[in-house]
């Protein structure tokens, strides 16, 4: 499994660089490494560090997880992930509103119960 993930990351390193028309040297400069060192990453002789993926994600303006997506496309997958993220955020907000309502109702009922216990 790790080898498969490494292969996907390598493929995306090459694909993203090519789609943006950057040379290996330009991307290597972003990572503060030499071009031969970057070449080793694309060819699989060196594994890509998480911190390097983070820097590249910022550089390409994509979420880090896009490097792990098989058959990723910078624009298409980024838009899809953004849409999914927006939908999830809306669901979280909606669930939070429901939870707030129920929390408030439980507090009201607890207050009623404690008041009815005091009247006895």
């Amino acid at each position: 499994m790790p080898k498969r993930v490494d292969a996907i990351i390598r493929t995306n390193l090459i694909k993203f660089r090519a789609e943006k028309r950057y040379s290996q040297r330009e991307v290597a400069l972003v990572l503060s490494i030499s071009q031969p060192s970057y070449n080793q990453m694309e060819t699989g002789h060196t594994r890509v560090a998480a911190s390097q993926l983070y820097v590249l994600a910022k550089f390409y303006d994509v979420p880090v997880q896009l490097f792990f997506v098989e058959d990723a496309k910078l624009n298409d997958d980024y838009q899809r992930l953004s849409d999914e993220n927006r939908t999830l955020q809306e669901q979280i907000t909606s669930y939070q509103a429901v939870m707030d309502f129920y929390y408030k109702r439980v507090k009201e009922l607890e207050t009623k119960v404690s008041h009815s216990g005091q009247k006895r």
Side-chain angles (χ1 to χ4, degrees):
M1 184 69 164
K3 287 184 181 184
R4 181 73 185 131
V5 172
D6 289 342
I8 292 169
I9 291 170
R10 280 194 316 273
T11 298
N12 287 330
L13 285 176
I14 296 165
K15 187 185 300 185
F16 295 171
R17 182 179 57 76
E19 283 183 28
K20 293 287 189 174
R21 296 190 172 137
Y22 289 118
S23 67
Q24 285 187 345
R25 183 179 176 278
E26 291 169 313
V27 177
L29 286 172
V30 169
L31 294 173
S32 301
I33 61 175
S34 68
Q35 180 276 327
S37 293
Y38 181 77
N39 180 271
Q40 295 287 310
M41 291 165 59
E42 281 193 359
T43 58
H45 291 55
T46 304
R47 293 183 86 185
V48 183
S51 59
Q52 292 171 319
L53 283 178
Y54 176 81
V55 169
L56 290 173
K58 293 293 182 194
F59 177 66
Y60 290 124
D61 192 29
V62 297
V64 173
Q65 57 267 40
L66 194 58
F67 284 97
F68 298 90
V69 175
E70 201 163 8
D71 299 323
K73 293 175 186 66
L74 280 178
N75 295 329
D76 294 345
D77 285 333
Y78 180 71
Q79 186 60 48
R80 181 181 55 77
L81 289 171
S82 294
D83 291 345
E84 287 176 12
N85 186 48
R86 190 176 315 105
T87 300
L88 289 171
Q89 289 294 340
E90 289 168 0
Q91 288 175 346
I92 289 169
T93 302
S94 176
Y95 291 146
Q96 187 62 47
V98 170
M99 292 302 297
D100 290 346
F101 170 79
Y102 282 118
Y103 180 75
K104 184 178 176 182
R105 186 67 182 134
V106 166
K107 286 293 183 192
E108 290 171 358
L109 292 172
E110 286 175 345
T111 302
K112 277 186 177 181
V113 167
S114 70
H115 282 4
S116 68
Q118 291 174 356
K119 289 181 183 177
R120 292 182 184 185

